[in-house]
Amino acid sequence: MKKSYKIEVDCANCANLVENAARKVSGVKTLTISFMTQKMKIEYEDDVHPEEVLKEIIRVAKRIEPDFNVL
Amino acid sequence: MTSKQKKVLFRILLSAVLMVGLALLPDKSVLPFGAVGKGLAYYLAIYLIIGYDILRKACYGILNRRVFDENFLMTVATLGAFALALFEDSGDYNEAIAVMLFYQVGEFFQSYAVGKSRNSIAKLMDIRPDYANLCQPDGTIRRVDPDDVEVGTVIVVNPGERVPIDGVVIEGASSLNTSALTGESLPKEIAEGEEIISGSINMTGVLKIRTTKEFGESTVSKILEMVEDSASHKSKSEDFIARFARVYTPIVCYSALALAIIPPIVRILFIGNGAEWSVWIYRALTFLVISCPCALVVSIPLSFFAGIGGASRRGILVKGANILENLSKVKTVLFDKTGTLTLGVFEVTAMHDKEDHDNNDEEEKARLLEIAAIAECASSHPISKSLQRAYNRPIDHSRVSDIKEIGGQGITAVVDGQKVAVGNEKLMEQMGVQYCHCHTAGTIVHVAVEGKYAGHVVLGDVVKQHAAEAVKALGAVGVARTVVLTGDADAVARQTAETLGVGEVYTELLPNEKVEKVEAIISETKNGKVAFIGDGINDAPVLSRADIGIAMGGVGSDAAIEAADVVLMDDDPRKIAKAMRISNKCMNIVWQNIILAVGVKVVCLFLGAFGIANMWLAIFADVGIMIIAVLNAIRAMYIKEQ
């Protein structure tokens, strides 16, 4: 399942760091964060609850960039 | 301005005012706790107002073992300056606060400028319709979300509205403004029965449209998805900068450490003077301020984003920053012929009799064309369609029977009770007809009646209006080699290539041979990238094989959008050179920014090491360069029309 989210991320560097960390969250198949379009695209593994995975992604992201937000 | 930017601006102004106020107060000891470290508490308070988020991020960084980032650099530099002032008991904490303040000012400007440019670029690409007017059975109209419209329903598009979903016009005629899709400023006329693509703006008449696709599958959604995705395909330059930042920051940090420790020790051991610890620590802290890589990290993705946005404005969809980057390296361009350089529409250019002479007998000419057109009436091959167009009369299907289509050869049928064969030389050979070889270049359709040769029709493919200009323009943007690859007959293709000024021609290629030929050319090309340009309908394998696949007139052809790296929204071959010009400009800007930012940093680092640059200068250089780089990046959006 693929989903696209509008996000808030402060700088290009933070976007890269968050992207790298969030990719390692389990349940995530592919994930890209674009600083320019302020979009996060996630492809989830088949048998997961996207909301829970997203929660974990936000938790991981906030540790790197406290101002990270999913709108 | 976002609420967050407003908050930062407020903090900047507040701390600036407090700083000035404190500076106007000569004796801090009148304030409570003012005697401690010459007003240290007050300075620290201002420092926290302006820098608490940076400090917090630096702590996060350290906790997550990601030590070297700009927040860490700023924190160490400013806290170090505090410590130094305290150690020297100078009471001059202004510098530490000022560095943090200017850093925030820089960040503020950057975030504001990037936000602004992001919006203006996004506006270029914003073709998303907000609603669709659904036609209900009782004749009323209801405004709905385009997502909720099913395939096959009728929608109404009023003048001034954007066509929300792909479909066929069932009522009305109008002019369409397609500039947001194709970059073409001339309006396009549309009438009943014609296909209409979403994203264009209806200008004059009310149109009723029967939808043929869901919103999610419509052209407008496909394009938006593609452009949004493009920002996530990172270019090599971006990767390089990300890696550069990862290596560069630690190097500067260790150099700063070395600068703080080694010179004093050398002085103690070998020169015998005082160590001058505070001088060298100050220089090391200046080093840290200078080293911040923000200008690069922000301006480079922004340049690509601006380039992709500017291209999409001109009807050129580029699927990623990496592709935009590669476009500037294209030195070899391969063309498919039919549909790319030519219209794929054949015109009758000559009719010859059985001895290959120009046929002067009008009646016989008409008879030959009639037989050919009637025999081919059931075929949808471009040649058949062209023959029927040339015949230009309604075809009486009762005159023809026993139609047999022989793939790659032609057709046999019975017309007016006579057995006819219409097709190429292979068909004539197979039928045992004594035919004559045509002396002119073109697609030849031989006609035999009752086993006897009757003559042939010469068809020529119509060259696109701007094709020659397009090939010439490629030379101007540095393309050294142009090649036509086609399945057409040798003589025809050579003639076309010659009129267009294309250097090389490979003809009579079967689809798989085309792929092989492209592979061969790619492997023998040492310099630069190889681009393949096709009309996208049957070129998908070649489009994906070339370094860069460019599909023409890709709107509506899903296979092309999937397989190509660049989609030209209209059929104009001149867009190829334009895409390369955009890419060249974008890459120039990227390099300008890299050289500017790295150059200024290196100079400042030297000045800092020799004590010529202080922290103020360093932060000014940093913020100034960043703003210049961001403004420069925006230029990638604009390209001169030629």
Side-chain angles (χ1 to χ4, degrees), chain B residues 569-585:
Chain B
M569 305 280 280
D570 53 9
D571 277 343
D572 191 345
R574 289 177 298 181
K575 290 264 166 81
I576 306 161
K578 190 173 271 180
M580 286 183 199
R581 282 215 310 278
I582 292 172
S583 138
N584 283 336
K585 182 169 181 184

PDB file of all heavy atoms in Angstrom, chain B residues 569-585:
ATOM      1  N   MET B 569       5.036  17.135 -23.775  1.00  0.00           N
ATOM      2  CA  MET B 569       3.575  17.079 -23.739  1.00  0.00           C
ATOM      3  C   MET B 569       2.926  17.327 -25.089  1.00  0.00           C
ATOM      4  O   MET B 569       1.793  16.956 -25.301  1.00  0.00           O
ATOM      5  CB  MET B 569       3.063  18.110 -22.750  1.00  0.00           C
ATOM      6  CG  MET B 569       3.673  17.939 -21.403  1.00  0.00           C
ATOM      7  SD  MET B 569       2.855  16.642 -20.556  1.00  0.00           S
ATOM      8  CE  MET B 569       1.462  17.584 -20.047  1.00  0.00           C
ATOM      9  N   ASP B 570       3.592  18.028 -25.961  1.00  0.00           N
ATOM     10  CA  ASP B 570       3.028  18.163 -27.294  1.00  0.00           C
ATOM     11  C   ASP B 570       3.990  17.476 -28.260  1.00  0.00           C
ATOM     12  O   ASP B 570       4.972  16.890 -27.862  1.00  0.00           O
ATOM     13  CB  ASP B 570       2.796  19.631 -27.663  1.00  0.00           C
ATOM     14  CG  ASP B 570       4.042  20.463 -27.472  1.00  0.00           C
ATOM     15  OD1 ASP B 570       5.113  19.868 -27.230  1.00  0.00           O
ATOM     16  OD2 ASP B 570       3.957  21.692 -27.548  1.00  0.00           O
ATOM     17  N   ASP B 571       3.696  17.555 -29.537  1.00  0.00           N
ATOM     18  CA  ASP B 571       4.499  16.808 -30.501  1.00  0.00           C
ATOM     19  C   ASP B 571       5.694  17.594 -31.017  1.00  0.00           C
ATOM     20  O   ASP B 571       6.348  17.176 -31.963  1.00  0.00           O
ATOM     21  CB  ASP B 571       3.625  16.407 -31.693  1.00  0.00           C
ATOM     22  CG  ASP B 571       2.853  15.150 -31.386  1.00  0.00           C
ATOM     23  OD1 ASP B 571       3.245  14.470 -30.430  1.00  0.00           O
ATOM     24  OD2 ASP B 571       1.884  14.860 -32.090  1.00  0.00           O
ATOM     25  N   ASP B 572       5.970  18.740 -30.400  1.00  0.00           N
ATOM     26  CA  ASP B 572       6.969  19.629 -30.958  1.00  0.00           C
ATOM     27  C   ASP B 572       8.401  19.133 -30.702  1.00  0.00           C
ATOM     28  O   ASP B 572       8.845  19.111 -29.557  1.00  0.00           O
ATOM     29  CB  ASP B 572       6.789  21.021 -30.341  1.00  0.00           C
ATOM     30  CG  ASP B 572       7.606  22.063 -31.063  1.00  0.00           C
ATOM     31  OD1 ASP B 572       8.502  21.671 -31.835  1.00  0.00           O
ATOM     32  OD2 ASP B 572       7.346  23.254 -30.847  1.00  0.00           O
ATOM     33  N   PRO B 573       9.118  18.704 -31.749  1.00  0.00           N
ATOM     34  CA  PRO B 573      10.468  18.170 -31.516  1.00  0.00           C
ATOM     35  C   PRO B 573      11.471  19.238 -31.056  1.00  0.00           C
ATOM     36  O   PRO B 573      12.531  18.909 -30.570  1.00  0.00           O
ATOM     37  CB  PRO B 573      10.868  17.594 -32.883  1.00  0.00           C
ATOM     38  CG  PRO B 573       9.987  18.264 -33.878  1.00  0.00           C
ATOM     39  CD  PRO B 573       8.729  18.642 -33.163  1.00  0.00           C
ATOM     40  N   ARG B 574      11.108  20.513 -31.186  1.00  0.00           N
ATOM     41  CA  ARG B 574      12.023  21.565 -30.722  1.00  0.00           C
ATOM     42  C   ARG B 574      12.183  21.557 -29.201  1.00  0.00           C
ATOM     43  O   ARG B 574      13.123  22.110 -28.661  1.00  0.00           O
ATOM     44  CB  ARG B 574      11.506  22.941 -31.164  1.00  0.00           C
ATOM     45  CG  ARG B 574      11.636  23.176 -32.652  1.00  0.00           C
ATOM     46  CD  ARG B 574      11.046  24.503 -33.026  1.00  0.00           C
ATOM     47  NE  ARG B 574       9.619  24.532 -32.711  1.00  0.00           N
ATOM     48  CZ  ARG B 574       8.840  25.576 -32.947  1.00  0.00           C
ATOM     49  NH1 ARG B 574       9.326  26.672 -33.473  1.00  0.00           N
ATOM     50  NH2 ARG B 574       7.551  25.531 -32.657  1.00  0.00           N
ATOM     51  N   LYS B 575      11.241  20.897 -28.531  1.00  0.00           N
ATOM     52  CA  LYS B 575      11.288  20.847 -27.065  1.00  0.00           C
ATOM     53  C   LYS B 575      12.498  20.070 -26.552  1.00  0.00           C
ATOM     54  O   LYS B 575      12.904  20.223 -25.417  1.00  0.00           O
ATOM     55  CB  LYS B 575      10.012  20.192 -26.517  1.00  0.00           C
ATOM     56  CG  LYS B 575       8.771  21.031 -26.672  1.00  0.00           C
ATOM     57  CD  LYS B 575       8.470  21.815 -25.406  1.00  0.00           C
ATOM     58  CE  LYS B 575       7.454  22.916 -25.626  1.00  0.00           C
ATOM     59  NZ  LYS B 575       6.097  22.403 -25.618  1.00  0.00           N
ATOM     60  N   ILE B 576      13.053  19.205 -27.422  1.00  0.00           N
ATOM     61  CA  ILE B 576      14.201  18.404 -26.981  1.00  0.00           C
ATOM     62  C   ILE B 576      15.358  19.332 -26.648  1.00  0.00           C
ATOM     63  O   ILE B 576      15.971  19.230 -25.583  1.00  0.00           O
ATOM     64  CB  ILE B 576      14.626  17.411 -28.075  1.00  0.00           C
ATOM     65  CG1 ILE B 576      13.445  16.553 -28.511  1.00  0.00           C
ATOM     66  CG2 ILE B 576      15.751  16.524 -27.589  1.00  0.00           C
ATOM     67  CD1 ILE B 576      13.642  15.898 -29.864  1.00  0.00           C
ATOM     68  N   ALA B 577      15.647  20.249 -27.573  1.00  0.00           N
ATOM     69  CA  ALA B 577      16.749  21.179 -27.350  1.00  0.00           C
ATOM     70  C   ALA B 577      16.428  22.105 -26.182  1.00  0.00           C
ATOM     71  O   ALA B 577      17.303  22.447 -25.384  1.00  0.00           O
ATOM     72  CB  ALA B 577      17.023  21.991 -28.611  1.00  0.00           C
ATOM     73  N   LYS B 578      15.161  22.462 -26.066  1.00  0.00           N
ATOM     74  CA  LYS B 578      14.773  23.340 -24.967  1.00  0.00           C
ATOM     75  C   LYS B 578      15.004  22.660 -23.620  1.00  0.00           C
ATOM     76  O   LYS B 578      15.522  23.266 -22.683  1.00  0.00           O
ATOM     77  CB  LYS B 578      13.305  23.749 -25.120  1.00  0.00           C
ATOM     78  CG  LYS B 578      12.895  24.836 -24.159  1.00  0.00           C
ATOM     79  CD  LYS B 578      11.494  25.336 -24.436  1.00  0.00           C
ATOM     80  CE  LYS B 578      11.488  26.473 -25.425  1.00  0.00           C
ATOM     81  NZ  LYS B 578      10.131  26.954 -25.701  1.00  0.00           N
ATOM     82  N   ALA B 579      14.641  21.376 -23.552  1.00  0.00           N
ATOM     83  CA  ALA B 579      14.863  20.627 -22.317  1.00  0.00           C
ATOM     84  C   ALA B 579      16.347  20.618 -21.968  1.00  0.00           C
ATOM     85  O   ALA B 579      16.733  20.769 -20.805  1.00  0.00           O
ATOM     86  CB  ALA B 579      14.341  19.200 -22.461  1.00  0.00           C
ATOM     87  N   MET B 580      17.189  20.468 -22.982  1.00  0.00           N
ATOM     88  CA  MET B 580      18.627  20.445 -22.720  1.00  0.00           C
ATOM     89  C   MET B 580      19.126  21.809 -22.268  1.00  0.00           C
ATOM     90  O   MET B 580      20.017  21.899 -21.431  1.00  0.00           O
ATOM     91  CB  MET B 580      19.370  19.999 -23.966  1.00  0.00           C
ATOM     92  CG  MET B 580      19.207  18.512 -24.197  1.00  0.00           C
ATOM     93  SD  MET B 580      20.154  18.013 -25.617  1.00  0.00           S
ATOM     94  CE  MET B 580      19.355  16.488 -25.975  1.00  0.00           C
ATOM     95  N   ARG B 581      18.553  22.854 -22.843  1.00  0.00           N
ATOM     96  CA  ARG B 581      18.967  24.196 -22.407  1.00  0.00           C
ATOM     97  C   ARG B 581      18.597  24.433 -20.949  1.00  0.00           C
ATOM     98  O   ARG B 581      19.379  24.982 -20.179  1.00  0.00           O
ATOM     99  CB  ARG B 581      18.311  25.267 -23.283  1.00  0.00           C
ATOM    100  CG  ARG B 581      18.962  25.445 -24.633  1.00  0.00           C
ATOM    101  CD  ARG B 581      18.933  26.889 -25.105  1.00  0.00           C
ATOM    102  NE  ARG B 581      17.619  27.486 -25.009  1.00  0.00           N
ATOM    103  CZ  ARG B 581      16.654  27.329 -25.920  1.00  0.00           C
ATOM    104  NH1 ARG B 581      16.893  26.604 -26.988  1.00  0.00           N
ATOM    105  NH2 ARG B 581      15.490  27.891 -25.767  1.00  0.00           N
ATOM    106  N   ILE B 582      17.409  23.984 -20.560  1.00  0.00           N
ATOM    107  CA  ILE B 582      16.997  24.133 -19.161  1.00  0.00           C
ATOM    108  C   ILE B 582      17.963  23.368 -18.266  1.00  0.00           C
ATOM    109  O   ILE B 582      18.420  23.867 -17.246  1.00  0.00           O
ATOM    110  CB  ILE B 582      15.546  23.623 -18.963  1.00  0.00           C
ATOM    111  CG1 ILE B 582      14.577  24.554 -19.685  1.00  0.00           C
ATOM    112  CG2 ILE B 582      15.208  23.518 -17.489  1.00  0.00           C
ATOM    113  CD1 ILE B 582      13.147  24.043 -19.733  1.00  0.00           C
ATOM    114  N   SER B 583      18.296  22.154 -18.701  1.00  0.00           N
ATOM    115  CA  SER B 583      19.191  21.331 -17.904  1.00  0.00           C
ATOM    116  C   SER B 583      20.586  21.955 -17.798  1.00  0.00           C
ATOM    117  O   SER B 583      21.187  21.972 -16.728  1.00  0.00           O
ATOM    118  CB  SER B 583      19.233  19.935 -18.512  1.00  0.00           C
ATOM    119  OG  SER B 583      20.513  19.430 -18.534  1.00  0.00           O
ATOM    120  N   ASN B 584      21.076  22.506 -18.925  1.00  0.00           N
ATOM    121  CA  ASN B 584      22.393  23.157 -18.889  1.00  0.00           C
ATOM    122  C   ASN B 584      22.402  24.330 -17.926  1.00  0.00           C
ATOM    123  O   ASN B 584      23.341  24.499 -17.148  1.00  0.00           O
ATOM    124  CB  ASN B 584      22.769  23.679 -20.288  1.00  0.00           C
ATOM    125  CG  ASN B 584      23.221  22.549 -21.188  1.00  0.00           C
ATOM    126  OD1 ASN B 584      23.664  21.512 -20.706  1.00  0.00           O
ATOM    127  ND2 ASN B 584      23.087  22.742 -22.475  1.00  0.00           N
ATOM    128  N   LYS B 585      21.345  25.117 -17.997  1.00  0.00           N
ATOM    129  CA  LYS B 585      21.290  26.286 -17.129  1.00  0.00           C
ATOM    130  C   LYS B 585      21.250  25.851 -15.663  1.00  0.00           C
ATOM    131  O   LYS B 585      21.959  26.405 -14.814  1.00  0.00           O
ATOM    132  CB  LYS B 585      20.041  27.110 -17.460  1.00  0.00           C
ATOM    133  CG  LYS B 585      19.941  28.362 -16.636  1.00  0.00           C
ATOM    134  CD  LYS B 585      18.879  29.290 -17.142  1.00  0.00           C
ATOM    135  CE  LYS B 585      18.848  30.538 -16.272  1.00  0.00           C
ATOM    136  NZ  LYS B 585      17.771  31.442 -16.653  1.00  0.00           N
TER     137      LYS B 585
END
